[in-house]
């Protein structure tokens, strides 16, 4: 059974810092991996989707990498801002089942 | 407006009552999902649908009923609400698993 883990559960950094959020999964046979952002009281917003054939995806100050063989993905946020404060979740799609498997998220706080 | 909308945003009801949560998407996405989000458990899939008139159970389907007579709508019914069903419920949709999953803003349901 696929399990997705995100460590740490919470992270607090000063504004301007570059940071990395981690996501690991137990079964490397995935089709793709998504990173989501969730603001308090809101739904999830998809940030980046990496297909299994890709190594990374970039959107603005965000860069997500995928290492299938080691079962890891990272989300790199450059020059963090207070507006980046949110919970970040990763999810994998394995194929064969029409579902995403989610991690429990990392709550990021960027302090001014 | 294009997107995915859930109603109501907040609902308080009593144990034993029937309650229906509504979900509507304007993209004509094939896939739709219902999740619940609870502290300590993260996101858990309740039911999903691959197309109109096709639904299937997720991880925690007991006590819930879904239907999908039209592509754009995917209501979730709690037939006889219990306190353990107090949660935040999210609806989501996607055109396929190589595409991002889009979430509504959620329904916060309290059962007294």
């Amino acid at each position: 059974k696929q399990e997705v883990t995100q460590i740490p559960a919470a992270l607090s950094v000063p504004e301007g810092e570059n940071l990395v959020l981690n996501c690991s999964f137990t079964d490397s046979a995935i089709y793709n991996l998504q990173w989501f952002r969730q603001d308090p009281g809101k739904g999830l917003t998809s940030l980046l989707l990496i297909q299994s054939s890709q190594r990374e995806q970039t959107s603005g100050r965000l860069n997500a990498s995928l290492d299938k063989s080691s079962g890891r993905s990272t989300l790199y946020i450059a020059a963090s801002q207070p507006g980046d404060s949110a919970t970040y979740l990763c999810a994998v799609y394995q194929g064969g089942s029409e579902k995403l498997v989610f991690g429990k998220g990392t709550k990021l706080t960027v302090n001014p | 407006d294009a997107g995915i909308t859930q109603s109501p945003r907040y609902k308080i009801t009593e144990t034993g009552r029937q309650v229906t949560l509504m979900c509507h998407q304007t993209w004509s996405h094939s896939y739709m999902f219902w999740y619940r989000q609870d502290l300590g458990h993260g996101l858990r899939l309740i039911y999903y649908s691959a197309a109109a008139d096709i639904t299937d159970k997720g991880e925690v389907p007991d006590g819930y009923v879904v239907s999908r007579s039209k592509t754009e709508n995917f209501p979730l019914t709690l037939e006889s609400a219990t306190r353990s069903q107090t949660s935040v419920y999210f609806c989501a949709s996607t055109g396929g698993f190589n595409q991002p999953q889009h979430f509504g803003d959620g329904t916060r349901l309290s059962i007294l």
Side-chain angles (χ1 to χ4, degrees):
Chain A
K1 178 186 172 185
Q2 178 74 268
E3 292 182 1
V4 178
T5 303
Q6 293 183 249
I7 296 173
L11 180 64
S12 182
V13 301
E15 182 177 3
E17 191 163 296
N18 301 324
L19 60 99
V20 172
L21 305 180
N22 297 299
C23 172
S24 61
F25 44 95
T26 54
D27 187 342
S28 62
I30 65 169
Y31 275 75
N32 57 50
L33 182 145
Q34 284 186 62
W35 281 95
F36 293 88
R37 168 188 174 133
Q38 185 176 25
D39 293 292
K42 296 287 190 178
L44 281 67
T45 299
S46 182
L47 297 172
L48 291 163
L49 184 152
I50 311 178
Q51 303 293 351
S52 62
S53 58
Q54 298 174 314
R55 296 284 295 186
E56 63 179 50
Q57 279 281 6
T58 298
S59 176
R61 294 183 293 108
L62 306 180
N63 177 277
S65 68
L66 175 64
D67 184 342
K68 261 185 55 173
S69 60
S70 67
R72 293 185 179 184
S73 176
T74 61
L75 179 67
Y76 174 83
I77 303 177
S80 59
Q81 302 170 358
D84 294 329
S85 298
T87 297
Y88 291 81
L89 297 94
C90 68
V92 300
Y93 171 58
Q94 203 152 0
S97 71
E98 295 164 309
K99 316 169 201 181
L100 293 179
V101 179
F102 284 85
K104 292 184 179 179
T106 294
K107 184 177 181 180
L108 173 67
T109 302
V110 181
N111 300 300
Chain B
D1 290 339
I4 183 165
T5 55
Q6 293 184 236
S7 61
R9 288 296 317 277
Y10 304 92
K11 176 76 176 179
I12 300 174
T13 191
E14 297 176 339
T15 56
R17 300 245 180 173
Q18 182 181 85
V19 59
T20 296
L21 310 184
M22 305 301 292
C23 179
H24 175 78
Q25 53 103 354
T26 59
W27 293 297
S28 298
H29 283 164
S30 298
Y31 292 92
M32 296 188 74
F33 308 86
W34 275 106
Y35 297 91
R36 60 179 291 175
Q37 188 175 40
D38 304 286
L39 208 58
H41 289 281
L43 273 166
R44 292 183 288 176
L45 182 65
I46 304 170
Y47 269 96
Y48 65 99
S49 169
D53 297 322
I54 300 174
T55 62
D56 208 346
K57 296 178 181 179
E59 185 183 352
V60 288
D62 293 344
Y64 303 95
V65 174
V66 293
S67 62
R68 195 163 175 213
S69 58
K70 292 184 177 181
T71 299
E72 61 267 30
N73 296 324
F74 190 38
L76 175 74
T77 298
L78 288 66
E79 293 190 301
S80 179
T82 65
R83 289 196 181 92
S84 65
Q85 293 176 309
T86 292
S87 186
V88 182
Y89 290 85
F90 289 102
C91 179
S93 73
T94 184
F97 282 89
N98 60 343
Q99 300 173 30
Q101 202 165 111
H102 298 275
F103 282 73
D105 280 339
T107 295
R108 185 173 294 273
L109 178 63
S110 296
I111 300 165
L112 307 178

